[in-house]
Amino acid sequence: MELAAPALRRYLLLLAQEHLEFRLPEITSLLSLCGGKFSGEQEIRVNSPFWILNIPSEEMARGLMKRTVCAKSIFELWGHGRSEGELYASLKNYPVDKMLPYLQSDSTYKVHIHTFNKTLTQAQKIKKIDALEFLPFKGKVNLKNPEHIFWILEDYGMNPNNVPEEPFHLYFGRWIADGQRELIESYSVKKRHFIGNTSMDACLSFIMANHGRVKPNDVVYDPFVGTGGLLISSAHFGAYVCGTDIDYNTIHGLGKASRKNQKWRGPDENIRANLRQYGLEKYYLDALVADSSRPIWRKGMLFDAIITDPPYGIREATRRTGSQKEAVKSVERRYTEEIIPRHPCLKLISNCEQMLSSHTSRRLITMEKVKEFKSGSKPVAIPAEHTILKSNACILIPCRIKMRILTCWMASICHTGDTILSVRSISVV
Protein backbone atom coordinates (compact mmCIF):
# COMPACT_ATOMS: atom_id res chain seq x y z
CA MET A 1 0.00 0.00 0.00
CA GLU A 2 1.46 3.37 -1.08
CA LEU A 3 1.58 6.22 1.40
CA ALA A 4 -0.16 9.39 0.30
CA ALA A 5 2.09 12.34 -0.48
CA PRO A 6 1.96 15.14 2.09
CA ALA A 7 -0.62 17.78 1.22
CA LEU A 8 0.86 20.97 -0.20
CA ARG A 9 0.04 24.20 1.58
CA ARG A 10 -0.77 27.34 -0.31
CA TYR A 11 1.46 30.35 0.19
CA LEU A 12 1.32 33.85 -1.22
CA LEU A 13 4.60 35.30 -2.44
CA LEU A 14 4.95 39.09 -2.61
CA LEU A 15 7.67 40.01 -5.13
CA ALA A 16 9.64 43.15 -5.93
CA GLN A 17 8.74 44.70 -9.27
CA GLU A 18 12.22 44.69 -10.79
CA HIS A 19 14.19 42.19 -12.86
CA LEU A 20 10.89 40.52 -13.78
CA GLU A 21 12.40 37.85 -16.03
CA PHE A 22 14.81 36.73 -13.31
CA ARG A 23 12.20 36.06 -10.62
CA LEU A 24 10.78 32.74 -11.79
CA PRO A 25 14.19 31.08 -12.41
CA GLU A 26 15.38 32.31 -9.00
CA ILE A 27 12.35 30.96 -7.12
CA THR A 28 12.50 27.67 -9.06
CA SER A 29 16.21 27.23 -8.29
CA LEU A 30 15.77 28.02 -4.60
CA LEU A 31 12.83 25.63 -4.21
CA SER A 32 15.02 22.93 -5.74
CA LEU A 33 17.85 23.88 -3.37
CA CYS A 34 15.44 23.52 -0.41
CA GLY A 35 14.35 20.06 -1.58
CA GLY A 36 11.12 21.15 -3.24
CA LYS A 37 9.90 21.21 -6.79
CA PHE A 38 8.19 23.86 -8.85
CA SER A 39 5.03 22.26 -10.21
CA GLY A 40 2.71 23.35 -12.99
CA GLU A 41 -0.08 23.78 -10.43
CA GLN A 42 1.32 27.08 -9.16
CA GLU A 43 -0.90 30.11 -9.81
CA ILE A 44 1.54 32.57 -11.35
CA ARG A 45 1.07 35.67 -13.44
CA VAL A 46 4.66 36.34 -14.46
CA ASN A 47 4.55 40.16 -14.31
CA SER A 48 2.37 40.33 -11.19
CA PRO A 49 3.87 40.98 -7.71
CA PHE A 50 1.55 38.29 -6.25
CA TRP A 51 2.19 34.58 -6.83
CA ILE A 52 0.37 31.68 -5.20
CA LEU A 53 2.73 28.75 -4.58
CA ASN A 54 2.09 25.22 -3.36
CA ILE A 55 4.89 24.38 -0.91
CA PRO A 56 5.11 21.22 1.25
CA SER A 57 5.95 22.95 4.53
CA GLU A 58 6.43 26.24 6.31
CA GLU A 59 10.05 25.26 6.94
CA MET A 60 10.66 25.12 3.19
CA ALA A 61 8.93 28.48 2.75
CA ARG A 62 11.25 30.00 5.36
CA GLY A 63 14.26 28.40 3.65
CA LEU A 64 13.22 30.00 0.37
CA MET A 65 13.01 33.44 2.00
CA LYS A 66 16.46 33.08 3.59
CA ARG A 67 17.93 33.26 0.08
CA THR A 68 15.69 35.17 -2.33
CA VAL A 69 16.33 38.81 -3.22
CA CYS A 70 13.50 38.92 -5.76
CA ALA A 71 10.74 38.33 -3.19
CA LYS A 72 9.78 40.67 -0.36
CA SER A 73 7.63 38.43 1.85
CA ILE A 74 5.76 35.14 1.99
CA PHE A 75 2.41 34.42 3.68
CA GLU A 76 0.38 31.38 4.57
CA LEU A 77 -2.63 32.01 2.34
CA TRP A 78 -5.95 31.79 4.18
CA GLY A 79 -8.18 33.22 1.48
CA HIS A 80 -8.30 35.16 -1.79
CA GLY A 81 -10.81 36.38 -4.35
CA ARG A 82 -11.63 38.91 -7.06
CA SER A 83 -13.90 40.90 -4.76
CA GLU A 84 -14.38 41.45 -1.04
CA GLY A 85 -17.32 39.02 -1.09
CA GLU A 86 -15.19 36.28 -2.69
CA LEU A 87 -12.38 36.93 -0.20
CA TYR A 88 -14.71 36.67 2.81
CA ALA A 89 -16.32 33.50 1.43
CA SER A 90 -12.86 32.00 0.90
CA LEU A 91 -11.86 32.86 4.48
CA LYS A 92 -15.03 31.26 5.87
CA ASN A 93 -14.17 28.06 4.01
CA TYR A 94 -10.61 27.93 5.37
CA PRO A 95 -10.31 25.15 7.99
CA VAL A 96 -10.80 26.59 11.48
CA ASP A 97 -8.37 24.10 13.02
CA LYS A 98 -5.56 25.68 10.92
CA MET A 99 -6.52 29.16 12.13
CA LEU A 100 -6.93 28.52 15.86
CA PRO A 101 -3.24 28.09 16.84
CA TYR A 102 -2.68 31.72 15.81
CA LEU A 103 -5.88 33.19 17.29
CA GLN A 104 -5.60 32.08 20.93
CA SER A 105 -6.61 34.40 23.76
CA ASP A 106 -3.06 34.46 25.18
CA SER A 107 -1.52 35.60 21.88
CA THR A 108 -1.04 39.04 20.33
CA TYR A 109 -1.55 40.09 16.74
CA LYS A 110 -1.97 42.95 14.30
CA VAL A 111 -3.42 43.33 10.79
CA HIS A 112 -1.43 45.10 8.10
CA ILE A 113 -2.81 46.32 4.76
CA HIS A 114 -0.68 46.35 1.61
CA THR A 115 -1.91 47.76 -1.69
CA PHE A 116 -0.17 47.56 -5.05
CA ASN A 117 -0.62 50.54 -7.41
CA LYS A 118 -2.90 52.47 -5.05
CA THR A 119 -2.68 54.36 -1.75
CA LEU A 120 -5.49 54.07 0.81
CA THR A 121 -6.39 56.54 3.52
CA GLN A 122 -6.15 55.48 7.15
CA ALA A 123 -9.97 55.51 7.39
CA GLN A 124 -10.23 53.13 4.41
CA LYS A 125 -7.70 50.78 6.00
CA ILE A 126 -9.56 50.70 9.32
CA LYS A 127 -12.82 49.98 7.50
CA LYS A 128 -11.27 46.98 5.73
CA ILE A 129 -9.83 45.64 8.99
CA ASP A 130 -13.16 46.02 10.80
CA ALA A 131 -14.84 44.00 8.04
CA LEU A 132 -12.87 40.93 9.23
CA GLU A 133 -14.72 40.77 12.55
CA PHE A 134 -16.23 37.43 11.55
CA LEU A 135 -12.79 35.79 12.01
CA PRO A 136 -12.39 34.21 15.48
CA PHE A 137 -9.67 36.54 16.78
CA LYS A 138 -9.37 36.08 20.57
CA GLY A 139 -5.97 37.55 21.28
CA LYS A 140 -4.97 41.13 22.02
CA VAL A 141 -3.94 43.70 19.45
CA ASN A 142 -0.27 44.69 19.70
CA LEU A 143 0.91 47.07 17.00
CA LYS A 144 4.57 47.25 18.09
CA ASN A 145 5.61 43.66 18.81
CA PRO A 146 2.87 41.16 17.92
CA GLU A 147 3.35 37.39 17.90
CA HIS A 148 1.36 37.02 14.69
CA ILE A 149 0.96 39.43 11.79
CA PHE A 150 -1.89 39.10 9.31
CA TRP A 151 -1.90 40.89 5.98
CA ILE A 152 -4.62 42.06 3.64
CA LEU A 153 -3.08 42.47 0.19
CA GLU A 154 -4.86 44.16 -2.71
CA ASP A 155 -3.82 44.21 -6.35
CA TYR A 156 -5.00 47.23 -8.37
CA GLY A 157 -3.31 46.21 -11.61
CA MET A 158 -0.19 47.29 -13.44
CA ASN A 159 -1.33 50.58 -15.02
CA PRO A 160 -0.60 53.60 -12.79
CA ASN A 161 -2.52 55.84 -15.20
CA ASN A 162 -5.75 53.85 -14.92
CA VAL A 163 -6.21 52.74 -11.31
CA PRO A 164 -9.60 51.07 -10.68
CA GLU A 165 -11.82 51.90 -7.72
CA GLU A 166 -11.89 48.26 -6.61
CA PRO A 167 -8.94 45.83 -6.65
CA PHE A 168 -8.62 43.07 -9.23
CA HIS A 169 -7.48 40.56 -6.60
CA LEU A 170 -7.55 40.43 -2.79
CA TYR A 171 -5.57 38.15 -0.50
CA PHE A 172 -5.46 37.46 3.25
CA GLY A 173 -2.74 35.51 4.97
CA ARG A 174 -0.43 35.04 7.92
CA TRP A 175 3.01 36.53 7.54
CA ILE A 176 5.78 33.89 7.56
CA ALA A 177 9.05 35.59 6.64
CA ASP A 178 10.69 38.37 4.65
CA GLY A 179 13.18 37.91 1.83
CA GLN A 180 16.76 39.20 1.72
CA ARG A 181 16.15 42.54 0.05
CA GLU A 182 18.27 44.28 2.69
CA LEU A 183 21.36 42.64 1.16
CA ILE A 184 21.03 44.97 -1.83
CA GLU A 185 21.74 47.97 0.39
CA SER A 186 24.25 46.40 2.78
CA TYR A 187 26.36 45.05 -0.13
CA SER A 188 25.87 48.12 -2.35
CA VAL A 189 28.73 48.82 -4.75
CA LYS A 190 28.64 52.46 -3.59
CA LYS A 191 29.92 51.34 -0.19
CA ARG A 192 32.43 48.79 -1.48
CA HIS A 193 36.14 49.20 -0.89
CA PHE A 194 37.35 48.08 -4.34
CA ILE A 195 35.27 48.71 -7.48
CA GLY A 196 35.75 48.92 -11.24
CA ASN A 197 33.85 50.38 -14.17
CA THR A 198 31.93 47.14 -14.66
CA SER A 199 31.43 45.90 -11.08
CA MET A 200 28.15 43.96 -10.94
CA ASP A 201 25.50 45.53 -8.72
CA ALA A 202 24.61 43.67 -5.53
CA CYS A 203 21.06 42.69 -6.49
CA LEU A 204 22.07 40.95 -9.72
CA SER A 205 25.07 39.34 -8.02
CA PHE A 206 22.81 37.63 -5.48
CA ILE A 207 20.30 36.68 -8.18
CA MET A 208 23.11 34.99 -10.12
CA ALA A 209 24.29 33.09 -7.05
CA ASN A 210 20.71 31.92 -6.47
CA HIS A 211 20.30 30.89 -10.11
CA GLY A 212 23.52 28.91 -9.62
CA ARG A 213 22.12 27.23 -6.48
CA VAL A 214 25.28 28.13 -4.56
CA LYS A 215 25.34 26.53 -1.13
CA PRO A 216 27.76 26.27 1.83
CA ASN A 217 31.11 24.57 1.10
CA ASP A 218 30.69 24.77 -2.68
CA VAL A 219 33.70 25.90 -4.71
CA VAL A 220 32.66 28.68 -7.09
CA TYR A 221 34.81 30.00 -9.95
CA ASP A 222 34.54 33.25 -11.94
CA PRO A 223 36.77 33.27 -15.06
CA PHE A 224 36.16 37.02 -15.63
CA VAL A 225 36.48 37.96 -11.98
CA GLY A 226 37.21 41.70 -12.31
CA THR A 227 36.82 43.29 -8.85
CA GLY A 228 35.20 40.15 -7.43
CA GLY A 229 31.57 41.25 -7.11
CA LEU A 230 30.24 37.80 -7.98
CA LEU A 231 32.63 36.15 -5.55
CA ILE A 232 31.19 38.25 -2.71
CA SER A 233 27.61 37.08 -3.25
CA SER A 234 28.68 33.43 -3.43
CA ALA A 235 30.87 33.76 -0.34
CA HIS A 236 27.92 35.30 1.54
CA PHE A 237 26.11 31.98 1.05
CA GLY A 238 29.08 30.03 2.41
CA ALA A 239 30.89 29.03 -0.80
CA TYR A 240 34.64 29.08 -1.27
CA VAL A 241 35.48 31.37 -4.19
CA CYS A 242 38.24 31.93 -6.72
CA GLY A 243 38.63 33.57 -10.09
CA THR A 244 40.83 34.58 -13.00
CA ASP A 245 41.10 37.69 -15.14
CA ILE A 246 43.32 38.74 -18.02
CA ASP A 247 43.84 42.22 -16.55
CA TYR A 248 46.92 42.24 -14.30
CA ASN A 249 46.15 45.67 -12.81
CA THR A 250 42.62 44.66 -11.77
CA ILE A 251 43.76 41.43 -10.13
CA HIS A 252 46.46 43.25 -8.15
CA GLY A 253 44.48 46.43 -7.47
CA LEU A 254 46.83 48.71 -9.41
CA GLY A 255 46.36 51.57 -11.86
CA LYS A 256 43.72 54.28 -12.15
CA ALA A 257 40.78 54.30 -9.78
CA SER A 258 37.16 54.08 -10.94
CA ARG A 259 35.84 56.39 -8.22
CA LYS A 260 35.20 60.04 -8.85
CA ASN A 261 37.82 62.41 -7.42
CA GLN A 262 40.31 59.54 -6.91
CA LYS A 263 43.17 59.31 -9.38
CA TRP A 264 44.92 56.07 -8.38
CA ARG A 265 43.90 52.97 -6.46
CA GLY A 266 45.04 52.72 -2.87
CA PRO A 267 47.50 50.15 -1.47
CA ASP A 268 44.73 47.90 -0.08
CA GLU A 269 42.21 48.01 -2.93
CA ASN A 270 41.90 44.44 -4.13
CA ILE A 271 39.52 41.48 -4.20
CA ARG A 272 40.67 40.11 -0.86
CA ALA A 273 39.99 43.49 0.77
CA ASN A 274 36.43 43.41 -0.59
CA LEU A 275 35.72 40.06 1.04
CA ARG A 276 37.41 41.21 4.24
CA GLN A 277 35.08 44.22 4.30
CA TYR A 278 32.08 41.88 4.66
CA GLY A 279 33.74 39.38 6.99
CA LEU A 280 34.07 36.80 4.21
CA GLU A 281 37.84 36.59 3.78
CA LYS A 282 37.95 33.00 5.05
CA TYR A 283 36.05 31.92 1.91
CA TYR A 284 38.55 33.52 -0.50
CA LEU A 285 40.85 31.02 -2.21
CA ASP A 286 42.73 33.17 -4.74
CA ALA A 287 42.56 35.10 -8.00
CA LEU A 288 44.95 34.48 -10.89
CA VAL A 289 45.98 36.41 -13.97
CA ALA A 290 44.92 34.19 -16.88
CA ASP A 291 43.31 34.18 -20.31
CA SER A 292 40.03 32.27 -20.08
CA SER A 293 40.06 31.46 -23.78
CA ARG A 294 42.94 29.06 -23.04
CA PRO A 295 42.78 25.98 -20.77
CA ILE A 296 44.79 26.45 -17.58
CA TRP A 297 43.33 23.86 -15.20
CA ARG A 298 44.59 20.35 -14.56
CA LYS A 299 42.33 17.43 -15.34
CA GLY A 300 39.91 16.46 -12.59
CA MET A 301 36.75 17.85 -11.02
CA LEU A 302 37.38 21.24 -9.45
CA PHE A 303 34.30 23.49 -9.19
CA ASP A 304 30.69 23.16 -8.14
CA ALA A 305 29.55 26.24 -10.03
CA ILE A 306 30.84 28.79 -12.51
CA ILE A 307 29.24 32.23 -12.18
CA THR A 308 30.57 34.97 -14.41
CA ASP A 309 29.96 38.22 -16.26
CA PRO A 310 31.96 38.17 -19.51
CA PRO A 311 33.20 41.45 -21.04
CA TYR A 312 30.97 43.10 -23.65
CA GLY A 313 33.24 45.97 -24.69
CA ILE A 314 30.68 48.63 -23.65
CA ARG A 315 31.92 50.23 -20.41
CA GLU A 316 35.30 48.47 -20.49
CA ALA A 317 37.42 47.47 -23.46
CA THR A 318 37.66 43.78 -24.27
CA ARG A 319 40.85 41.83 -25.05
CA ARG A 320 40.11 40.20 -28.40
CA THR A 321 41.58 36.89 -29.45
CA GLY A 322 41.41 35.49 -32.95
CA SER A 323 41.45 37.39 -36.23
CA GLN A 324 39.85 40.78 -36.84
CA LYS A 325 37.63 39.12 -39.45
CA GLU A 326 36.13 36.85 -36.77
CA ALA A 327 35.47 39.83 -34.51
CA VAL A 328 33.67 41.81 -37.22
CA LYS A 329 31.58 38.78 -38.17
CA SER A 330 30.48 38.30 -34.55
CA VAL A 331 29.00 41.82 -34.20
CA GLU A 332 26.94 41.57 -37.39
CA ARG A 333 24.76 38.66 -36.24
CA ARG A 334 21.29 39.12 -34.80
CA TYR A 335 20.45 37.47 -31.50
CA THR A 336 18.84 34.08 -32.05
CA GLU A 337 18.45 31.00 -29.89
CA GLU A 338 21.24 29.39 -31.94
CA ILE A 339 23.75 31.80 -30.38
CA ILE A 340 23.31 30.09 -27.00
CA PRO A 341 26.25 27.70 -26.45
CA ARG A 342 25.31 24.03 -26.46
CA HIS A 343 26.98 20.87 -25.33
CA PRO A 344 25.69 17.32 -24.80
CA CYS A 345 26.68 17.48 -21.11
CA LEU A 346 24.82 20.74 -20.42
CA LYS A 347 21.13 21.49 -20.11
CA LEU A 348 19.77 25.02 -20.56
CA ILE A 349 17.86 25.96 -17.40
CA SER A 350 16.95 29.58 -18.06
CA ASN A 351 17.60 32.43 -20.49
CA CYS A 352 16.62 35.84 -19.04
CA GLU A 353 16.87 39.20 -20.78
CA GLN A 354 17.67 42.50 -19.08
CA MET A 355 17.12 45.70 -21.06
CA LEU A 356 20.03 48.12 -20.69
CA SER A 357 18.73 50.87 -22.98
CA SER A 358 16.22 51.34 -25.80
CA HIS A 359 18.46 49.37 -28.15
CA THR A 360 20.70 47.27 -25.91
CA SER A 361 20.09 44.26 -23.70
CA ARG A 362 21.99 41.43 -22.10
CA ARG A 363 21.00 37.89 -21.18
CA LEU A 364 21.63 35.76 -18.13
CA ILE A 365 22.18 32.17 -19.20
CA THR A 366 22.01 29.34 -16.66
CA MET A 367 23.01 25.79 -17.58
CA GLU A 368 23.23 22.61 -15.57
CA LYS A 369 25.68 19.79 -16.05
CA VAL A 370 23.57 16.65 -16.49
CA LYS A 371 26.20 14.04 -17.30
CA GLU A 372 29.94 13.47 -17.35
CA PHE A 373 31.96 14.24 -20.44
CA LYS A 374 33.31 11.27 -22.37
CA SER A 375 36.30 11.51 -24.63
CA GLY A 376 35.16 11.75 -28.25
CA SER A 377 31.85 13.45 -27.47
CA LYS A 378 31.05 16.35 -29.76
CA PRO A 379 28.87 19.43 -29.24
CA VAL A 380 25.47 19.20 -30.95
CA ALA A 381 23.41 21.74 -32.86
CA ILE A 382 26.22 24.31 -33.07
CA PRO A 383 26.46 26.12 -36.42
CA ALA A 384 29.75 26.10 -38.27
CA GLU A 385 30.69 29.61 -37.15
CA HIS A 386 30.41 28.50 -33.52
CA THR A 387 33.08 25.81 -33.77
CA ILE A 388 35.36 28.35 -32.08
CA LEU A 389 33.65 27.25 -28.86
CA LYS A 390 35.54 23.97 -28.99
CA SER A 391 38.72 25.74 -28.04
CA ASN A 392 37.48 27.78 -25.14
CA ALA A 393 36.22 27.21 -21.63
CA CYS A 394 32.59 26.75 -22.61
CA ILE A 395 33.44 23.32 -23.89
CA LEU A 396 36.68 22.58 -22.09
CA ILE A 397 35.87 23.52 -18.48
CA PRO A 398 32.65 21.46 -18.12
CA CYS A 399 34.58 18.45 -19.25
CA ARG A 400 36.89 18.62 -16.23
CA ILE A 401 34.84 19.75 -13.28
CA LYS A 402 32.03 18.56 -11.07
CA MET A 403 30.23 21.78 -11.94
CA ARG A 404 26.50 21.60 -11.26
CA ILE A 405 25.43 25.02 -12.48
CA LEU A 406 26.87 27.58 -14.87
CA THR A 407 25.53 31.11 -14.77
CA CYS A 408 26.76 33.97 -16.92
CA TRP A 409 25.75 36.93 -19.01
CA MET A 410 25.44 37.40 -22.73
CA ALA A 411 25.01 40.87 -24.19
CA SER A 412 23.32 41.74 -27.45
CA ILE A 413 21.90 44.78 -29.18
CA CYS A 414 18.52 43.25 -29.75
CA HIS A 415 16.60 46.03 -31.50
CA THR A 416 19.20 46.84 -34.13
CA GLY A 417 20.07 43.19 -34.50
CA ASP A 418 23.77 43.71 -33.76
CA THR A 419 25.49 41.39 -31.32
CA ILE A 420 28.00 43.02 -29.01
CA LEU A 421 29.30 39.87 -27.42
CA SER A 422 31.60 37.78 -29.56
CA VAL A 423 31.24 34.02 -29.45
CA ARG A 424 34.67 33.70 -27.90
CA SER A 425 33.58 35.96 -25.03
CA ILE A 426 30.92 33.46 -23.96
CA SER A 427 33.72 31.09 -23.20
CA VAL A 428 32.59 30.00 -19.76
CA VAL A 429 28.87 29.89 -20.06
Side-chain angles (χ1 to χ4, degrees):
M1 180 178 178
E2 294 185 2
L3 296 175
L8 297 178
R9 294 187 179 185
R10 305 187 84 190
Y11 293 87
L12 178 68
L13 196 63
L14 175 61
L15 296 118
Q17 284 300 96
E18 64 175 346
H19 304 307
L20 300 188
E21 285 202 21
F22 302 84
R23 301 186 306 183
L24 183 57
E26 191 209 43
I27 299 303
T28 302
S29 295
L30 293 180
L31 281 176
S32 174
L33 189 62
C34 294
K37 186 178 181 181
F38 196 89
S39 69
E41 299 176 358
Q42 319 286 11
E43 297 180 29
I44 287 177
R45 290 170 291 140
V46 176
N47 293 329
S48 171
F50 303 102
W51 291 0
I52 297 178
L53 303 180
N54 298 317
I55 301 178
S57 67
E58 183 174 318
E59 181 183 2
M60 186 176 294
R62 291 183 183 277
L64 170 66
M65 302 311 287
K66 288 180 180 179
R67 290 288 301 259
T68 178
V69 293
C70 288
K72 294 181 176 180
S73 303
I74 195 167
F75 310 88
E76 183 183 55
L77 186 62
W78 286 14
H80 68 104
R82 294 180 178 273
S83 65
E84 289 184 346
E86 286 188 14
L87 172 63
Y88 301 154
S90 179
L91 284 171
K92 291 175 182 177
N93 289 329
Y94 191 76
V96 177
D97 60 312
K98 293 183 179 180
M99 291 184 181
L100 289 180
Y102 312 103
L103 307 178
Q104 298 298 317
S105 58
D106 59 347
S107 65
T108 58
Y109 73 95
K110 76 172 181 178
V111 179
H112 179 82
I113 293 183
H114 173 86
T115 56
F116 178 74
N117 198 29
K118 188 172 184 175
T119 302
L120 300 180
T121 65
Q122 187 65 21
Q124 289 174 317
K125 292 180 179 179
I126 293 174
K127 183 179 179 181
K128 291 177 181 292
I129 293 173
D130 289 342
L132 297 174
E133 62 182 2
F134 62 88
L135 291 176
F137 289 109
K138 296 180 181 179
K140 295 180 179 180
V141 174
N142 185 331
L143 300 181
K144 292 185 177 180
N145 188 28
E147 293 179 54
H148 310 296
I149 306 175
F150 302 94
W151 283 48
I152 301 172
L153 303 101
E154 298 184 344
D155 182 3
Y156 287 86
M158 308 292 292
N159 187 356
N161 299 315
N162 185 22
V163 181
E165 286 295 324
E166 300 297 328
F168 293 119
H169 293 87
L170 300 93
Y171 309 89
F172 182 88
R174 179 177 62 91
W175 174 84
I176 300 295
D178 289 332
Q180 303 301 308
R181 299 285 296 171
E182 73 278 358
L183 294 178
I184 299 172
E185 178 62 25
S186 59
Y187 281 84
S188 172
V189 174
K190 296 178 182 178
K191 303 175 182 178
R192 193 165 297 167
H193 189 65
F194 176 46
I195 63 170
N197 295 336
T198 59
S199 294
M200 181 66 69
D201 73 82
C203 182
L204 288 172
S205 295
F206 283 104
I207 288 175
M208 293 175 72
N210 284 334
H211 279 213
R213 301 207 302 254
V214 173
K215 64 182 187 301
N217 298 320
D218 278 355
V219 177
V220 176
Y221 168 59
D222 180 356
F224 302 99
V225 70
T227 58
L230 297 178
L231 302 189
I232 291 172
S233 59
S234 296
H236 173 82
F237 294 131
Y240 294 93
V241 296
C242 62
T244 58
D245 202 284
I246 200 172
D247 191 327
Y248 178 93
N249 286 340
T250 299
I251 289 291
H252 292 280
L254 304 175
K256 292 184 178 181
S258 297
R259 296 185 188 280
K260 188 177 180 180
N261 302 324
Q262 182 182 342
K263 189 172 182 180
W264 302 101
R265 288 179 173 138
D268 194 34
E269 288 191 47
N270 50 56
I271 297 173
R272 182 183 292 275
N274 272 352
L275 279 95
R276 186 186 306 124
Q277 176 183 350
Y278 301 108
L280 302 172
E281 187 177 5
K282 65 179 180 179
Y283 296 110
Y284 180 59
L285 299 178
D286 208 347
L288 310 174
V289 177
D291 183 350
S292 290
S293 68
R294 300 178 179 276
I296 64 170
W297 301 106
R298 60 174 173 79
K299 292 183 178 181
M301 296 185 290
L302 302 176
F303 310 116
D304 295 287
I306 291 178
I307 299 179
T308 193
D309 177 25
Y312 320 138
I314 301 176
R315 287 183 293 174
E316 195 75 67
T318 57
R319 308 286 183 88
R320 288 199 180 98
T321 54
S323 68
Q324 184 66 23
K325 184 177 180 181
E326 286 176 343
V328 171
K329 186 176 182 180
S330 70
V331 300
E332 292 177 347
R333 284 197 300 273
R334 290 179 176 273
Y335 167 76
T336 62
E337 293 296 327
E338 285 71 28
I339 290 179
I340 306 300
R342 303 180 189 182
H343 190 276
C345 296
L346 302 178
K347 176 184 176 182
L348 179 65
I349 300 299
S350 62
N351 177 359
C352 308
E353 183 181 28
Q354 181 196 21
M355 296 302 299
L356 301 177
S357 69
S358 61
H359 61 282
T360 310
S361 70
R362 60 182 177 179
R363 290 179 176 271
L364 177 62
I365 308 299
T366 303
M367 293 183 174
E368 181 176 7
K369 184 176 180 181
V370 293
K371 62 180 180 180
E372 294 299 325
F373 176 77
K374 295 181 180 179
S375 180
S377 297
K378 296 181 178 179
V380 295
I382 298 181
E385 65 266 30
H386 291 174
T387 54
I388 190 172
L389 290 173
K390 291 181 179 178
S391 63
N392 62 30
C394 175
I395 301 304
L396 296 178
I397 286 184
C399 303
R400 301 192 183 97
I401 62 180
K402 61 179 180 180
M403 179 172 52
R404 182 183 66 256
I405 294 288
L406 309 89
T407 304
C408 88
W409 288 97
M410 289 176 53
S412 64
I413 293 199
C414 55
H415 293 279
T416 63
D418 296 336
T419 302
I420 285 181
L421 185 63
S422 68
V423 174
R424 191 177 289 272
S425 297
I426 318 173
S427 56
V428 274
V429 184

